[in-house]
Amino acid sequence: MTTAEQSPALAPLRQARERFLTGRPLPDGVPDDVVAAWRRARFFGVRPDLDGPVRESAQPADSPLLEAAHPALSRIAPALDAGRTALVLTDERLRVLWSTGSAPGDDTCADLSEREVGHNSAALALRTRRRAEVHGPEHFLDVWQDVSAVSVPLFSPETGQVLGTLTVARALWAGCRPHPGAALAEAAAAAVEAELRARARTAERALLDAYARAARGRERAVVALDGRNRLISEAAAGLASPQVLEALERGARARGRDTGESYDVQLPEDAGCTAEITPVRHEGRVLGLVAVLAARPVEPEPSRPGPGGTLVGGSVAWRHAVARAAELFRTPGPVLVTGERGTGKTALALELLDGTDPLVVDAAESPELGLKEVPPAGNRGRAGDRPLLLRHAERLSQQDVAALNSLLEERPDARLVATHTPGTSPGPCLQRLLDTLAARSVTLPALRERPEDVRELLSALTPGPAPGSPPLTWTLDALRALEQHPWPGNVTELAHLVRALAGRRRVFGPVRRGELPDPVREGPAGRTLSPMELAERSAILEALRRHGGNKARAAAALGIGRATLYRKLREYQGRDAPNGPRP
């Protein structure tokens, strides 16, 4: 709370400021936020005897805020007491875009940020997002000691973000609250925001009309964008990936700066769809685009050689794990491959042991293996020597675990590759074995941790088509569902699904999402709000905050009916949106 929000006590505050500037202790009762503002100014190196900003602030070459505000402010300017009152417009960086009139000590600063001129009402309004008053000695600059100023933030009607501030400054006012210029500042801000809403609605209406003409029913996949707003049909939502939407957004923003006739947007190579682009023009300029999307089948990539396709994958996590395992195997000593069930541990172990004719034992099939010998690494060149592949080490009997521990103590360079699936807490003997192998272990990532490998795995896991039948392909929507599924059984579960689909499918064409099993088809529960919905929700909540929760006033400020506001509040209640006060 500033001094202006309390009963005026400017004489004691003026004395406190003098003591602050001379480094003397401050008296009791000085508002904490005023002292903090003075300290920030001193930290920024602002001189109290400064007559204006240290350097001229670069003015925006093209300011949509000034373009919208100028007509409204020009109508208000003649009503000012030109010799005693100043009206100032700044942008979101507190650069002065426009000013008229004058006030005592007003030298028309080009930058009202605290870094340049210290504490002032415009900086306070921008920080608190509400009307703010600063009076006389609350200012840091000497030149503003006899000035009272009130500032109001200006909000975007589309996003609710602060676009700038409007300030009314006049001679020092020590009377009752509010500042005499508060009503003028509020009225000027309302007029500017009304002009911003009118301009936004005109452009949005043009975009909405173009979207409606292109959609012609819910079955068409249509996206309309202007760099701020995004309209997506239900069909397009299931077809356009985030990368496609980002490419279209870039095209819309670039086209907003260009009035040329050529119009082409480069989609990602793996977009899975084509786009027919039409520019949306308004008042002689291109303000956005409408894209009509069409799906195209995603052809399988050539499969890589490997045991059942389980070693396929180009993700960073998978390539790092495989490279780590190969590096360990090239040096003498045992190797432990660990990971969830179905991640491909045995396939990787067999790949490492390829050409060595390993002895394969599986503790899951026979816990009592009677292990007595593990070949040492030094015998790699001897004929008849075979390395050991031990599967499911977690199932070993206590006797075999003890034998392995003893052998590895005697032969730390033993030729052994073991697989282990974490689960229940291991006993002391097994834990000792795992601790021994920990330094030479590699953990395979779960399939949910590398969803970018799903498409390549599908190509490797899909069986060859029967004679005269086309290969199995997938729609983009089906691929998305497969990539979003958590796959508790990992690659093994995916392989079973592919084989089941290939065996029972009797129709031609790509596999659609509707053909997938229910858990895969339905996808994760809940829905994240779209960027346009997030912006709309933010604007509604901000309007409610500004009007003290009064829904009628908030609806009027947003330019919508109360019934519409109530409906949108119900729609957004409990949705997956950023944390904040609930409407």
Side-chain angles (χ1 to χ4, degrees):
M1 179 181 294
T2 67
T3 304
E5 294 171 327
Q6 303 174 358
S7 297
L10 300 183
L13 189 61
R14 198 178 301 276
Q15 295 173 3
R17 177 179 176 274
E18 292 298 326
R19 294 178 69 88
F20 176 83
L21 294 178
T22 55
R24 290 178 290 169
L26 297 179
D28 294 335
V30 183
D32 291 341
D33 67 320
V34 173
V35 177
W38 292 343
R39 287 173 176 164
R40 285 196 301 273
R42 185 167 60 188
F43 175 79
F44 292 143
V46 179
R47 293 171 45 196
D49 59 351
L50 184 68
D51 291 332
V54 175
R55 59 182 179 276
E56 288 296 317
S57 176
Q59 297 296 317
D62 181 20
S63 171
L65 175 61
L66 178 58
E67 182 183 346
H70 191 269
L73 298 182
S74 298
R75 294 192 298 268
I76 296 172
L80 295 176
D81 184 351
R84 301 183 56 193
T85 306
L87 181 62
V88 181
L89 172 72
T90 75
D91 64 7
E92 77 284 357
R93 292 169 52 188
L94 295 175
R95 297 175 296 183
V96 175
L97 301 176
W98 180 91
S99 64
T100 188
S102 64
D106 175 33
D107 293 318
T108 317
C109 292
D111 190 329
L112 298 183
S113 67
E114 284 194 336
R115 289 181 175 273
E116 296 292 343
V117 296
H119 189 46
N120 63 87
S121 61
L124 184 57
L126 187 71
R127 187 168 67 251
T128 61
R129 295 172 63 89
R130 58 186 176 87
R131 191 182 76 197
E133 300 181 17
V134 176
H135 300 262
E138 291 182 342
H139 294 102
F140 190 74
L141 295 187
D142 294 341
V143 73
W144 287 342
Q145 292 305 295
D146 295 320
V147 175
S148 286
V150 58
S151 298
V152 178
L154 296 168
F155 295 94
S156 166
E158 299 162 324
T159 65
Q161 299 300 311
V162 178
L163 300 177
T165 66
L166 263 175
T167 299
V168 174
R170 51 160 290 158
L172 186 62
W173 172 260
C176 298
R177 304 300 111 194
H179 185 285
L184 175 61
E186 293 277 11
V192 172
E193 289 180 350
E195 182 66 25
L196 289 170
R197 282 195 298 272
R199 290 171 178 251
R201 285 174 187 160
T202 302
E204 287 175 357
R205 174 56 60 183
L207 186 71
L208 182 60
D209 290 344
Y211 170 80
R213 288 194 299 270
R216 294 201 308 269
R218 297 178 61 184
E219 69 280 357
R220 296 196 80 190
V222 179
V223 179
L225 316 99
D226 63 2
R228 298 185 306 271
N229 302 300
R230 183 185 289 181
L231 303 172
I232 307 176
S233 70
E234 185 176 346
L239 188 60
S241 66
Q243 292 75 22
V244 169
L245 294 177
E246 288 173 8
L248 294 174
E249 287 280 13
R250 288 194 298 270
R253 287 192 292 268
R255 191 49 51 181
R257 300 188 296 267
D258 184 9
T259 57
E261 293 299 320
S262 61
Y263 206 93
D264 185 28
V265 175
Q266 188 68 36
L267 298 182
E269 293 183 359
D270 60 347
C273 64
T274 60
E276 180 185 345
I277 306 295
T278 304
V280 179
R281 291 183 168 84
H282 176 66
E283 296 182 352
R285 66 185 182 89
V286 175
L287 62 86
L289 61 86
V290 170
V292 179
L293 308 180
R296 61 186 177 197
V298 180
E299 296 296 335
E301 299 179 5
S303 61
R304 296 182 185 179
T310 52
L311 290 187
V312 168
S315 63
V316 174
W318 178 253
R319 286 189 287 109
H320 174 77
V322 173
R324 167 71 175 163
E327 179 184 2
L328 290 173
F329 188 74
R330 283 194 295 267
T331 59
V335 177
L336 176 66
V337 183
T338 183
E340 296 180 9
R341 61 186 177 89
T343 50
K345 299 184 293 295
T346 299
L348 176 58
L350 290 171
E351 183 74 10
L352 295 174
L353 295 167
D354 185 39
T356 64
D357 188 24
L359 174 64
V360 181
V361 293
D362 192 337
E365 296 177 358
S366 177
E368 298 291 340
L369 297 176
L371 294 175
K372 298 185 181 299
E373 290 293 330
V374 179
N379 294 338
R380 288 180 187 236
R382 280 182 17 190
D385 181 45
R386 299 174 65 189
L388 176 64
L389 169 56
L390 171 61
R391 299 185 61 204
H392 300 109
E394 70 280 359
R395 301 285 189 88
L396 281 172
S397 67
Q398 187 171 350
Q399 180 180 355
D400 283 330
V401 172
L404 271 178
N405 282 325
S406 299
L407 288 169
L408 290 177
E409 285 182 1
E410 297 174 7
R411 302 173 183 174
D413 59 349
R415 302 184 62 198
L416 165 69
V417 179
T419 70
H420 173 258
T421 303
T424 58
S425 179
C429 286
L430 180 58
Q431 186 60 60
R432 179 184 166 194
L433 175 63
L434 296 177
D435 292 342
T436 302
L437 299 175
R440 295 182 56 82
S441 67
V442 59
T443 301
L444 299 189
L447 185 54
R448 63 179 175 276
E449 298 170 359
R450 54 183 186 113
E452 60 269 39
D453 290 341
V454 166
R455 301 191 186 193
E456 198 171 351
L457 283 166
L458 288 173
S459 302
L461 296 172
T462 301
S469 300
L472 201 63
T473 59
W474 313 79
T475 65
L476 184 61
D477 200 24
L479 285 173
R480 270 211 207 97
L482 293 168
E483 290 170 341
Q484 293 171 358
H485 187 60
W487 297 111
N490 294 292
V491 179
T492 301
E493 182 183 357
L494 178 64
H496 287 316
L497 183 145
V498 171
R499 284 196 293 270
L501 278 174
R504 71 169 185 263
R505 203 159 186 266
R506 296 295 180 265
V507 296
F508 292 96
V511 176
R512 300 181 300 277
R513 187 186 189 114
E515 298 179 63
L516 302 177
D518 289 346
V520 181
R521 180 176 66 245
E522 293 170 1
R527 180 179 75 84
T528 302
L529 297 179
S530 69
M532 189 172 182
E533 289 172 323
L534 287 173
E536 183 179 62
R537 182 181 185 274
S538 176
I540 290 173
L541 292 179
E542 185 56 40
L544 287 169
R545 289 190 191 99
R546 291 177 58 199
H547 294 280
N550 188 306
K551 295 182 176 62
R553 293 180 182 175
L558 294 169
I560 60 178
R562 275 190 295 177
T564 301
L565 179 66
Y566 290 138
R567 175 175 56 79
K568 290 185 177 294
L569 289 176
R570 286 194 300 271
E571 290 176 355
Y572 293 141
Q573 189 82 12
R575 288 282 184 83
D576 181 14
N579 293 331
R582 295 173 73 90

